[in-house]
Amino acid sequence: MKTIVLFSLLTIFPTRLIGQTNREAELDSLSRPLPAGATVHEQAEHCRTIMWYQFVHNMGGNYSPWDARLDSLLHCCIAGKSGDRRFEKTIEADLDFYNGTKMMWMGNYPDSTIHFFETALVKYTAIGDSLKIGWSHLALSRNAMNLGDSLFFAKHYDPALRYSQFVKKPVDLRHFFMWCANQCRFFERYAESASHYFKVLESADESSGWHATFIKAYALSGLAEIYYEIRDFGNAERYSRMAVQAGSETKVQADSHYRLLGLIMIEIKAYESALPMLTKAEGCKDCNTHPAYQSQILAGKATCYRNLGDLKMALATAKKAVQITPIATHVAVGAISLMELAECEFALGMTDKALQKALESYETFAGSSNNWGRVRASELVANIYKSKGNYREALKYSELHSQHQQQVERQQSSRQMAL
């Protein structure tokens, strides 16, 4: 049976890596208690500084206890009492923005996430905070990935880029353009995505310290993912191994980078090599706890088990992937996981169940920009119909498969030329 294409999504989710010595030391320094007698304004700014550090250093949306402390300061001592209406509105907007990032990290609440970011955007616009206007637009365009909504992406990504001129600090710039690169890659704007990744690499090479090396690893991984998605597995593997090496040079665990390397091994049918790599990535519990990240690894492992003949384990693993991330919460990963589950059921002779899931997966891909998903899902549906003796429907989906395949090949050629 055909291998399912597992579209790489690691850098779609800004990687949560807890426990690096340098980062924790910096955060501990920022978190030192203020001198006795610090004003309410100083206390609020202290909270805001720490929370911004946590945001731009990919600390997973865990702002405790600073978000609660800032909220308490707002309600007890600032709102209507500070004499500085702009400052009050800034704090209100910040709390909405950080609540949005928390929802974003949880992964299963896209409506709430968008609500918080849209509310923050309105407030930042009212007070003219250009830096946060740009970040709010970028956060909203990032959520378009979960929804697979290219129009919503364009609505917010383009203004985010216009506001990038207000992002000045090197660490902030690297974080901003990583988000830009990841989003462009998801919507198959590969040349633009690569340009952003190279901006990040250039900034990292001009800087020193753990963050520069850390972000370099993820920019290299992003470039590997571009090549992975345009089916150039030689370059994909080359950049992926460079990412693993760069990650190992920091205090950051390099295991997170084995996820992509494992997916590449699947595409070249090296399942025995892929499985331990994906298991390494799965075991990196502090690397990325976003449900879609975990589901992608599980779907990849299910593909390996299935092709290695362990259908029982494949089925159980695929079911877990679908359970963690249904289509409703993440279009791309949900459809990929569901398609792998259909493959497993088909291999086990559960034909009717497999057909239902394969059709749902295909319809999901057909409504999104995931062209390779359309190719693989249409082929799977055709094979299932053929096994059931329904040759009319099998022919229909075989023709759709051929059309999607030709489209992908044309796009692949032009994208390789662009890179």
Side-chain angles (χ1 to χ4, degrees):
M1 284 185 189
K2 291 285 186 177
T3 300
I4 288 177
V5 177
L6 292 172
F7 294 88
S8 291
L9 296 170
L10 173 76
T11 50
I12 284 176
F13 314 109
T15 307
R16 179 179 182 232
L17 292 159
I18 308 298
Q20 313 99 277
T21 302
N22 291 331
R23 187 176 67 174
E24 296 304 320
E26 291 173 2
L27 184 60
D28 286 346
S29 178
L30 287 174
S31 302
R32 289 173 184 167
L34 294 175
T39 66
V40 171
H41 191 288
E42 289 170 338
Q43 292 177 54
E45 284 300 317
H46 187 224
C47 293
R48 293 180 68 228
T49 298
I50 293 168
M51 291 165 70
W52 183 252
Y53 180 92
Q54 292 173 312
F55 170 68
V56 297
H57 288 83
N58 304 314
M59 299 189 78
N62 179 14
Y63 303 107
S64 179
W66 308 105
D67 53 346
R69 191 171 299 179
L70 183 61
D71 186 66
S72 295
L73 286 169
L74 174 66
H75 288 95
C76 80
C77 311
I78 297 175
K81 302 174 184 178
S82 71
D84 185 345
R85 189 60 178 159
R86 177 184 172 84
F87 180 60
E88 294 176 16
K89 289 297 182 182
T90 297
I91 293 176
E92 290 177 8
D94 280 353
L95 287 169
D96 285 323
F97 181 85
Y98 291 120
N99 278 329
T101 65
K102 284 193 288 186
M103 291 291 102
M104 179 179 71
W105 271 105
M106 292 171 70
N108 290 332
Y109 306 96
D111 291 341
S112 297
T113 303
I114 290 171
H115 168 74
F116 278 120
F117 285 134
E118 286 181 336
T119 303
L121 177 59
V122 169
K123 293 177 180 178
Y124 287 135
T125 301
I127 60 178
D129 188 333
S130 298
L131 173 66
K132 293 291 185 65
I133 290 172
W135 271 110
S136 297
H137 276 298
L138 194 59
L140 284 163
S141 64
R142 178 228 177 271
N143 277 275
M145 296 186 301
N146 288 4
L147 302 172
D149 189 336
S150 59
L151 293 178
F152 190 72
F153 165 72
K155 175 183 177 181
H156 291 287
Y157 172 76
D158 293 339
L161 272 189
R162 291 197 297 271
Y163 279 95
S164 66
Q165 62 181 302
F166 299 102
V167 185
K168 301 297 184 183
K169 295 181 180 179
V171 170
D172 295 1
L173 274 169
R174 291 194 290 267
H175 194 54
F176 190 93
F177 284 114
M178 276 294 292
W179 276 36
C180 290
N182 298 337
Q183 293 172 26
C184 287
R185 193 190 74 246
F186 181 88
F187 287 104
E188 301 182 354
R189 295 163 65 160
Y190 293 125
E192 189 174 356
S193 176
S195 175
H196 291 316
Y197 284 130
F198 281 117
K199 287 177 187 175
V200 174
L201 288 172
E202 183 179 359
S203 175
D205 287 341
E206 292 173 352
S207 304
S208 59
W210 73 267
H211 187 268
T213 307
F214 160 78
I215 205 73
K216 178 179 180 179
Y218 284 95
L220 289 167
S221 184
L223 289 168
E225 296 198 45
I226 290 176
Y227 282 111
Y228 173 83
E229 290 171 18
I230 65 172
R231 328 309 296 156
D232 182 346
F233 299 122
N235 276 317
E237 182 179 355
R238 181 166 68 91
Y239 277 104
S240 185
R241 292 192 183 279
M242 289 169 65
V244 169
Q245 177 60 36
S248 69
E249 293 173 5
T250 70
K251 298 291 184 180
V252 181
Q253 290 181 334
D255 288 357
S256 60
H257 297 289
Y258 282 103
R259 179 206 54 87
L260 176 57
L261 198 53
L263 298 180
I264 294 167
M265 293 299 103
I266 287 175
E267 293 302 329
I268 62 175
K269 303 187 186 305
Y271 304 112
E272 290 184 351
S273 297
L275 191 55
M277 291 177 180
L278 293 171
T279 300
K280 265 191 173 185
E282 183 183 21
C284 187
K285 296 300 183 183
D286 289 331
C287 293
N288 195 324
T289 57
H290 194 289
Y293 174 90
Q294 298 299 327
S295 288
Q296 193 193 27
I297 292 173
L298 289 169
K301 291 181 70 174
T303 302
C304 293
Y305 288 130
R306 176 168 55 81
N307 282 278
L308 292 171
D310 191 345
L311 296 181
K312 183 177 179 180
M313 181 63 77
L315 181 67
T317 306
K319 282 182 176 179
K320 187 176 179 182
V322 171
Q323 182 181 15
I324 292 174
T325 309
I327 288 172
T329 62
H330 199 289
V331 170
V333 174
I336 288 165
S337 299
L338 192 65
M339 185 163 59
E340 175 56 37
L341 180 54
E343 287 273 20
C344 294
E345 290 177 343
F346 185 36
L348 286 164
M350 304 161 65
T351 310
D352 291 338
K353 288 184 176 181
L355 179 59
Q356 179 185 3
K357 294 177 178 65
L359 284 169
E360 184 179 354
S361 179
Y362 175 76
E363 292 301 325
T364 302
F365 286 129
S368 72
S369 62
N370 196 323
N371 291 320
W372 267 107
R374 295 172 194 165
V375 170
R376 293 301 174 89
S378 58
E379 183 177 30
L380 176 58
V381 172
N383 288 338
I384 296 174
Y385 272 127
K386 184 178 179 181
S387 75
K388 290 171 66 69
N390 190 338
Y391 298 108
R392 183 186 297 275
E393 289 298 308
L395 177 60
K396 171 186 171 182
Y397 281 94
S398 291
E399 290 174 346
L400 286 170
H401 168 72
S402 179
Q403 293 170 15
H404 296 321
Q405 181 73 44
Q406 290 172 13
Q407 182 182 8
V408 164
E409 288 173 356
R410 288 194 298 270
Q411 290 176 336
Q412 182 178 342
S413 177
S414 62
R415 286 164 179 165
Q416 287 176 336
M417 290 176 63
L419 289 173

